[in-house]
Every structure is written in structure tokens, then in C-alpha cells.
């Protein structure tokens, strides 16, 4: 199936590993939407909006600034669902904190993912990342 129009823009945003660093490039706006409790702790609520009209909400721990939750609406042939991803158990890897536990829920389904290890820049040949 050929991808056209807004779907192209959605896919460009979804594939970007560094999206939080490039919101301006993609004309994504962020609005401070207040404070909410996430797992009993104060979290800063930020609503994001892409030029396509797609919106999502991210929650950042008030004290650490780390992302603790993301909420978005997913449209499928079966209907629209709210998808929530919780980020937990942050650990330091080479000076960067990564969540080692992710809990994703969509409707009645819940998936828990535990990261065993993260390796950064450990012996992978740069040639593997070149476009041919």
C-alpha cells in the first residue's frame, strides 16, 4: 500500500530516534498542561501536537525531570484506543539514564518489558549504519 499525505509525516515522526531534540524541525508544539500524580508522585504534564493534528501527552517527574508516562490515542480498524506507556526503574548507562522497565497498556491488554542491559557504542562497525 502506498503511503501518502499525513501518513508520511506521521511515519517520519515515529521513526525518529531523537524526536525530543527535533520538535522544532517537525513543527511539533508543546504546551504545559499542569501537574498530575503518576504513581503517587507529582508529574509535569506536557501536551504535544504535530502539524497533522495528532496529539499526545507526556508526564515528567517533578523532581528528576525524567519521563514517567506517555499517553496517546491509537486508531485501528477496531476503533480508537488509549495507549499508555509507563517508564520505570531508570539506571545510568555511560552518563545517560534509561528506563529499564516499560509497561504498555492499550485497552485491556498490558505488556511489561524488562530491559536486561543496554550497551552504548560497544564494538559495532559504523559501516553497518551507512545507506547503500
Amino acid at each position: 500500500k502506498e503511503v501518502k499525505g499525513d501518513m508520511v509525516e506521521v511515519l517520519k515522526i515515529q521513526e525518529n530516534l531523537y524526536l525530543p531534540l527535533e520538535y522544532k524541525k517537525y513543527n511539533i508544539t508543546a504546551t504545559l498542561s499542569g501537574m498530575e500524580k503518576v504513581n503517587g508522585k507529582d508529574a509535569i504534564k506536557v501536551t504535544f501536537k504535530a502539524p497533522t493534528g495528532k496529539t499526545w501527552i507526556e508526564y515528567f517527574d517533578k523532581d528528576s525531570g525524567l519521563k514517567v508516562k506517555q499517553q496517546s490515542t491509537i486508531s485501528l480498524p477496531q476503533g480508537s484506543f488509549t495507549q499508555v506507556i509507563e517508564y520505570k526503574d531508570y539506571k545510568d548507562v555511560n552518563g545517560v539514564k534509561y528506563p529499564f522497565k516499560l509497561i504498555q497498556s492499550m485497552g485491556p491488554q498490558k505488556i511489561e518489558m524488562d530491559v536486561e542491559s543496554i550497551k552504548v557504542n560497544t564494538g559495532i562497525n559504523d559501516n553497518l549504519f551507512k545507506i547503500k
Side-chain angles (χ1 to χ4, degrees), residues 5-55:
D6 285 349
M7 193 56 176
V8 173
E9 295 309 310
V10 168
L11 291 174
K12 282 182 187 177
I13 290 170
Q14 287 178 345
E15 63 82 29
N16 191 320
L17 293 174
Y18 305 103
L19 185 61
L21 301 175
E22 297 185 330
Y23 287 139
K24 189 174 183 177
K25 174 181 175 183
Y26 291 99
N27 296 313
I28 295 171
T29 59
T31 305
L32 180 61
S33 302
M35 298 280 285
E36 285 190 19
K37 294 278 187 189
V38 175
N39 296 319
K41 294 181 75 179
D42 287 333
I44 299 164
K45 179 180 177 182
V46 181
T47 302
F48 294 90
K49 185 174 183 179
T52 60
K54 173 138 177 81
T55 62

Side-chain angles (χ1 to χ4, degrees), residues 97-124:
K97 292 190 183 286
Y98 293 92
F100 273 66
K101 182 175 207 64
L102 292 95
I103 303 170
Q104 180 177 340
S105 60
M106 186 170 70
Q109 294 181 327
K110 190 177 204 177
I111 301 169
E112 291 192 26
M113 296 167 271
D114 291 308
V115 177
E116 291 181 7
S117 67
I118 294 176
K119 297 178 182 177
V120 180
N121 295 330
T122 54
I124 296 176

Side-chain angles (χ1 to χ4, degrees), residues 70-76 78-86 103-112:
Q70 179 174 319
Q71 181 178 321
S72 60
T73 300
I74 305 295
S75 296
L76 301 172
Q78 300 85 357
S80 294
F81 299 93
T82 299
Q83 179 184 51
V84 176
I85 302 171
E86 293 182 55
I103 303 170
Q104 180 177 340
S105 60
M106 186 170 70
Q109 294 181 327
K110 190 177 204 177
I111 301 169
E112 291 192 26

